[in-house]
Amino acid sequence: MQYFSNTVLVLWLLWGFSFVAGYEVPFADSDYSRQTCSGMWGGSSTFINVTFDSSTSQGQVAMVIYEWKDMQYLGNASSPTDDSLPLTYVCTSDAIKGGLCAYSDMGKFIVNLPSGQNIAQTSFWSARVALRSSTGSAAASGDLWQNPDGNPTPPPSNYTTPFRSRSIVAPPNINKVARQTSGSSSSALNPSPSSVLSYADPIQYHVRTTGYYCVAIVPVTVLSPARQASTDVPYHPTYNGVVLFQNTFQGKLPATDYPKVNFYLFMFLAYTAVGALWGWLCYKHVNELLPIQYYLSSLIGFLVIEMVANWVYYRYLNAHGRGTAATVFLFVVAILDAGRNALSFFMLLVVALGLSVVRESLGRTMLKCQILAGAHFIFGVLYAVGIVELELESTSALILLMFVIPLAFTLSGFLMWILYSLNATMTQLMVRKQRYKLTMFKRLYYILLATVVVIAIFFVVSSFSFSDRLAEDYAAKSWKIRWWLLDGYLAILYFASFWSIAYLWRPSENNRR
């Protein structure tokens, strides 16, 4: 009882955390991708802050913030006759000579809108930003870099970027501004400066509509010859900083992962509620309990602990971000998840083999069951860790298959052995004319068959989804449902299947019979 009270106290303390930080993504001039993107749940106080490090950032940059649906308007065709050339994204003197942009847009991202549409109808905020030099004064305009790289494409991942400890809080009047302009478009709410923006404070972009928002930053000036190293090739000044995505929720999780917090809380409450009903049935029929029902009771307790661990893990990530402690916590959660799967299939297998119902002992077969369960546990831990740590958009298919195939083999081995054993057990019960037991095993067979069909459909759907993971717009299209494909769907399926099977072996006054 004391342990239960302490557990409840810890859960309430975790629930009472007050977060002021948002999802932070660092950026630098040396990044391979010039763009940082993340899903955003729009609200009255959501925003994006872009902060440059004033001590190391210098020169001028072209910067644009927009929602992904407007990506089609970013950039202009470099040649009207050669479609193989990449689009030109930044307005330079060469782009002006080619008629790709106007002189007034020098040093900015090119926004190419169709006729009849104006910038106020889009989500674009675009500016040429002059950063402060190391001396503390605004950077001089300098020479424009004629070949700025950085075709704006989604970053390798929108949820595995390391977090920083520094947080940025919205200014006190942000809610007031939001109420006054809640009906305006993103561009009207975030007007672009007409001239060069001299950076002094974090650049804030208000977000009122749910979507996939991106921040692209490209250098547009080069160092003066006196400040360059001994080289004939000019290069741009350095800069770095952090992009903060402040969602409707408070914390450091990206929007694509935050639904897991409430999901695992719901699963914990659901397992606890149904587990309490199971416990009441065990208490009511304590003198009629079978060994398998003791095993099921232990597994139910294990499942409640696992759901609590998953919920606390994501609450911790939301409060502190990724780090050494979070990695250790991840391994604990992965071990619990893999242990739950291995124990579930092991118990299901020995039930299908007829232990304590058709035969008293499984003999050497029990050792084979234990070896298969151990292998499934090890591969399950590797899969659980890999699916979180690997970047799906940039990881090769071979690496992904190395985590998936071993687990698929042991899972297939369990399912095939269970179905084969069920058929053999039912045949034996049919010969003995034990109709009551035969009915239970037939229902178990139908539950497992339905589960296999649902899993097969799920893998087909998820395979189609992940096969498109290298597409430019994959992250923008899937950020809302990715957590469901990776966590939610199978967790709900397991919940339904487990309690359907537990219902068949529920404690009753006829257990011994």
Side-chain angles (χ1 to χ4, degrees):
M1 189 65 182
Q2 181 65 31
Y3 172 78
F4 177 78
S5 300
N6 292 337
T7 303
V8 172
L9 178 60
V10 170
L11 294 178
W12 276 111
L13 288 175
L14 287 169
W15 183 254
F17 279 155
S18 178
F19 306 121
V20 295
Y23 173 49
E24 293 181 327
V25 183
F27 66 85
D29 61 285
S30 58
D31 290 341
Y32 173 77
S33 174
R34 299 292 187 182
Q35 181 162 261
T36 299
C37 300
S38 178
M40 292 286 291
W41 300 104
S44 61
S45 59
T46 52
F47 61 91
I48 300 172
N49 266 13
V50 181
T51 305
F52 289 89
D53 188 339
S54 58
S55 63
T56 57
S57 300
Q58 51 187 315
Q60 294 187 15
V61 297
M63 179 174 161
V64 65
I65 305 176
Y66 65 98
E67 205 276 324
W68 186 262
K69 64 180 177 61
D70 293 327
M71 173 66 186
Q72 57 184 319
Y73 305 128
L74 194 61
N76 207 342
S78 300
S79 171
T81 57
D82 190 354
D83 294 337
S84 63
L85 294 177
L87 295 178
T88 299
Y89 286 93
V90 177
C91 184
T92 62
S93 56
D94 287 348
I96 295 173
K97 292 177 184 178
L100 303 181
C101 58
Y103 181 80
S104 59
D105 294 327
M106 173 77 77
K108 295 182 179 181
F109 272 88
I110 299 174
V111 178
N112 184 26
L113 298 176
S115 58
Q117 187 173 3
N118 57 60
I119 195 72
Q121 296 173 308
T122 68
S123 59
F124 285 109
W125 179 93
S126 180
R128 177 178 173 183
V129 182
L131 305 175
R132 291 187 177 275
S133 64
S134 57
T135 61
S137 59
S141 59
D143 297 324
L144 276 178
W145 182 21
Q146 295 300 329
N147 299 294
D149 60 355
N151 184 353
T153 55
S157 173
N158 66 335
Y159 65 97
T160 59
T161 305
F163 293 90
R164 290 165 57 119
S165 59
R166 182 162 59 97
S167 62
I168 303 170
V169 184
N173 62 345
I174 185 171
N175 291 327
K176 181 179 179 180
V177 174
R179 287 195 295 269
Q180 291 175 346
T181 57
S182 59
S184 305
S185 66
S186 294
S187 283
L189 185 61
N190 304 284
S192 301
S194 57
S195 59
V196 178
L197 175 62
S198 181
Y199 177 81
D201 298 308
I203 298 171
Q204 188 169 93
Y205 179 93
H206 301 278
V207 176
R208 299 295 173 263
T209 305
T210 297
Y212 192 72
Y213 289 83
C214 295
V215 178
I217 303 172
V218 173
V220 294
T221 55
V222 296
L223 289 174
S224 62
R227 299 182 62 185
Q228 289 189 45
S230 56
T231 177
D232 296 332
V233 180
Y235 60 93
H236 62 81
T238 60
Y239 62 86
N240 61 79
V242 63
V243 179
L244 180 140
F245 297 92
Q246 183 62 65
N247 272 278
T248 51
F249 60 90
Q250 299 292 320
K252 294 188 176 183
L253 276 176
T256 188
D257 280 345
Y258 185 75
K260 297 179 184 179
V261 176
N262 295 327
F263 174 75
Y264 282 111
L265 174 61
F266 168 79
M267 294 301 294
F268 160 65
L269 296 176
Y271 273 106
T272 302
V274 185
L277 179 59
W278 175 273
W280 180 78
L281 290 175
C282 290
Y283 174 77
K284 184 178 179 181
H285 307 290
V286 65
N287 295 325
E288 297 290 331
L289 293 181
L290 298 174
I292 187 62
Q293 289 163 344
Y294 285 104
Y295 299 148
L296 283 172
S297 299
S298 301
L299 182 55
I300 291 170
F302 187 92
L303 290 170
V304 173
I305 294 173
E306 186 205 0
M307 293 301 110
V308 170
N310 276 282
W311 177 56
V312 174
Y313 169 67
Y314 283 104
R315 289 285 295 177
Y316 180 87
L317 279 183
N318 198 39
H320 304 286
R322 297 185 184 275
T324 303
T327 303
V328 174
F329 209 157
L330 171 63
F331 274 96
V332 173
V333 171
I335 290 172
L336 289 174
D337 181 69
R340 178 253 296 176
N341 290 331
L343 286 174
S344 300
F345 282 115
F346 173 78
M347 290 180 58
L348 194 57
L349 179 57
V350 297
V351 167
L353 288 168
L355 180 65
S356 299
V357 177
V358 178
R359 62 185 73 176
E360 292 294 331
S361 174
L362 297 180
R364 293 185 60 85
T365 304
M366 176 61 78
L367 178 60
K368 297 178 182 178
C369 297
Q370 293 170 345
I371 293 174
L372 181 58
H376 191 72
F377 170 73
I378 294 172
F379 296 142
V381 172
L382 295 177
Y383 173 81
V385 174
I387 206 67
V388 174
E389 292 298 317
L390 291 178
E391 298 178 352
L392 296 181
E393 289 87 356
S394 59
T395 303
S396 67
L398 179 61
I399 298 297
L400 290 175
L401 290 176
M402 288 177 62
F403 285 89
V404 174
I405 289 180
L407 184 64
F409 269 115
T410 54
L411 178 61
S412 301
F414 262 123
L415 293 177
M416 293 178 63
W417 196 356
I418 289 169
L419 292 176
Y420 175 81
S421 300
L422 270 179
N423 282 325
T425 301
M426 288 190 295
T427 300
Q428 191 171 359
L429 291 173
M430 190 180 301
V431 172
R432 295 181 179 180
K433 296 183 179 181
Q434 295 179 333
R435 295 183 178 86
Y436 185 82
K437 294 180 181 179
L438 178 61
T439 301
M440 293 178 63
F441 278 91
K442 281 185 177 180
R443 291 173 180 173
L444 175 61
Y445 179 85
Y446 293 140
I447 291 172
L448 295 179
L449 192 61
T451 302
V452 171
V453 171
V454 175
I455 288 177
I457 295 174
F458 164 74
F459 275 112
V460 170
V461 173
S462 60
S463 297
F464 276 112
S465 174
F466 292 131
S467 65
D468 199 33
R469 72 188 187 282
L470 299 180
E472 188 178 52
D473 59 349
Y474 172 74
K477 290 181 177 180
S478 65
W479 72 272
K480 290 183 181 179
I481 62 171
R482 183 181 299 182
W483 74 274
W484 176 252
L485 292 176
L486 295 178
D487 291 77
Y489 189 91
L490 291 177
I492 293 293
L493 177 61
Y494 180 89
F495 180 86
S497 301
F498 175 79
W499 287 113
S500 297
I501 296 171
Y503 178 78
L504 293 179
W505 268 262
R506 67 191 182 278
S508 68
E509 64 275 7
N510 298 321
N511 281 165
R512 293 297 176 181
R513 184 176 65 85

